[in-house]
Amino acid sequence: MARSELDIETVKSVESYASEFPHELQTLDVYHITRAPSALWIIFLHGGAWRDPRVTSSVGKNLLAQVLNTSLPTPANAAAINYRLSPHPSFPELTQNTAKHPDHANDVLAGLDYLRVKYGMRQYVLIGHSAGATLAFQMLSLLQKRRTTGLALPKAIFGIEGIYDIASLVKEYPGYREFIEGAFGEEKDWPDALSLGGYTGLAVLAHSDEDQLLSWRQTEEMKGRCEDTLGVGGGLRVVKLAGQHDEVLETDRLVGMVERYLKDLK
């Protein structure tokens, strides 16, 4: 019997994952259904250019609710992680938003480790939208550097309308330099283009022709780097979505895509 969205609402909790002196944005929304050790956790990371206070974990609510309502082959839970933000010129009153790279990524890692410790999370997938896709793929290098956390690598990563190469993004869209420097500092401090390192799980890159903020360039370039690791036809999927940059999160096509690849996980 499928769970309804109302059922999911009743089990939602908002929890702080920071161990000491928590920031108000170091929280996550937990849609906790089962404590089965085999449960698959579906983790959503929001976008918003690392700085927009109007874009939070809540933008993943519809996607997570619908995916949890599908007939997945294994028990599933879900969570959406907030993280500290960089300053936004349109919201100068938010003086607590002072994060700089790698603060955003470190927060996501702390959120994942919180789920491991509190809920016994063992296997999980990451779904990142826009800047959230950057954070999702950044977890690969962080986790491989910090094996002491006890976190396994994700079984799959879904990059939705993602940013994967900061320098290439600013070259294509010079006007984006402002928010990139706000999040990452001077150009000499920008991180390298993302790649998979030694990751051999499933990588899904999804983008829409209707995206008014990003062309396919980021996805196509990331596709090439993924193929270098996984091989052509390996654990890489490239999918065309529908809708503008933020609208894709509300589409049935996205839900169906996530459901399809979750059912294929081994």
Side-chain angles (χ1 to χ4, degrees):
M1 178 178 174
R3 295 179 290 273
S4 69
E5 186 171 348
L6 178 61
D7 291 333
I8 293 171
E9 284 288 338
T10 63
V11 297
K12 177 183 175 184
S13 63
V14 180
E15 306 177 22
S16 172
Y17 55 78
S19 57
E20 294 183 352
F21 310 111
H23 188 283
E24 65 181 42
L25 291 176
Q26 290 174 314
T27 63
L28 44 76
D29 301 338
V30 179
Y31 302 81
H32 185 57
I33 308 299
T34 175
R35 282 192 175 272
S38 61
L40 177 68
W41 282 80
I42 305 164
I43 312 296
F44 178 80
L45 305 176
H46 69 81
W50 298 274
R51 70 177 189 177
D52 193 336
R54 298 164 298 184
V55 182
T56 69
S57 57
S58 64
V59 301
K61 172 185 167 182
N62 178 67
L63 172 63
L64 294 179
Q66 292 199 57
V67 171
L68 285 175
N69 272 311
T70 60
S71 301
L72 298 176
T74 183
N77 299 316
I81 301 177
N82 284 309
Y83 47 88
R84 287 171 292 170
L85 299 176
S86 299
H88 195 304
S90 297
F91 301 95
E93 71 279 8
L94 299 178
T95 56
Q96 76 277 20
N97 289 359
T98 59
K100 287 272 190 179
H101 173 76
D103 293 340
H104 323 92
N106 286 337
D107 279 1
V108 171
L109 184 61
L112 293 174
D113 201 47
Y114 173 88
L115 293 171
R116 177 188 68 85
V117 173
K118 180 170 182 179
Y119 291 102
M121 182 182 76
R122 297 183 184 178
Q123 52 182 354
Y124 63 99
V125 302
L126 297 174
I127 303 175
H129 175 250
S130 193
T134 315
L135 291 164
F137 281 96
Q138 283 177 327
M139 289 305 102
L140 296 179
S141 60
L142 281 180
L143 287 168
Q144 291 178 78
K145 290 176 182 176
R146 306 183 189 184
R147 285 298 191 181
T148 55
T149 64
L151 275 169
L153 292 174
K155 293 179 70 68
I157 300 180
F158 295 81
I160 313 300
E161 314 295 301
I163 299 171
Y164 310 109
D165 185 341
I166 300 302
S168 176
L169 177 74
V170 174
K171 182 178 180 180
E172 184 178 8
Y173 300 99
Y176 290 179
R177 178 177 287 271
E178 179 197 9
F179 76 76
I180 291 299
E181 289 183 340
F184 295 92
E186 297 178 14
E187 187 168 350
K188 64 181 179 59
D189 298 321
W190 295 353
D192 295 333
L194 291 169
S195 63
L196 297 183
Y199 182 65
T200 57
L202 176 66
V204 181
L205 305 176
H207 197 78
S208 169
D209 288 339
E210 301 167 59
D211 190 325
Q212 81 283 19
L213 301 180
L214 291 172
S215 74
W216 272 88
R217 179 173 175 175
Q218 287 287 308
T219 296
E220 290 291 346
E221 291 178 350
M222 185 62 173
K223 173 188 174 186
R225 293 190 296 275
C226 289
E227 288 175 344
D228 289 342
T229 298
L230 298 174
V232 177
L236 171 66
R237 304 290 183 269
V238 178
V239 181
K240 182 180 290 189
L241 297 176
Q244 293 192 339
H245 189 76
D246 293 326
E247 292 174 347
V248 296
L249 292 176
E250 303 297 324
T251 63
D252 291 339
R253 184 177 298 188
L254 176 60
V255 174
M257 180 202 75
V258 173
E259 177 186 7
R260 179 169 73 252
Y261 289 123
L262 289 183
K263 287 182 176 179
D264 290 341
L265 289 179
K266 304 300 182 181

